[in-house]
Amino acid sequence: MTLPSAVLGLLCALLVGALFHVAVDGGPGRLLLYLLLSALGFAAGQWTAATRGWTLFRIGPLDVGIAVIGSVIFLLLGHWLSMVRPPDGGSQDRV
């Protein structure tokens, strides 16, 4: 993968993460989480497409279609896991 395609992939991943942040109306603290999850999912999708030989929307060496699907999957899982709240008083010891 060339440097320009890696930069394009990073820009696409960050755009997907920012759009997801706007769509779910996340707070300012979650923006970094969504950007990181989107970049990881994009890389995982690109790696999966490269190893399996799948193509969906190829731009040079970058398979944007499968990579965006991976990014969305990581974002949905991360959003779902970040919504889990501990039970009331779960961390306090009561004697």
Side-chain angles (χ1 to χ4, degrees), residues 32-88:
L32 183 63
L33 172 69
Y34 293 148
L35 293 177
L36 179 67
L37 286 173
S38 180
L40 289 173
F42 199 91
Q46 174 63 27
W47 178 79
T48 302
T51 57
R52 299 280 185 175
W54 297 342
T55 59
L56 184 57
F57 182 62
R58 185 172 282 280
I59 300 176
L62 190 65
D63 192 356
V64 178
I66 302 293
V68 166
I69 291 172
S71 181
V72 169
I73 289 171
F74 270 55
L75 284 168
L76 291 173
L77 284 173
H79 177 71
W80 177 61
L81 289 173
S82 69
M83 290 292 139
V84 174
R85 300 277 185 236
D88 293 334

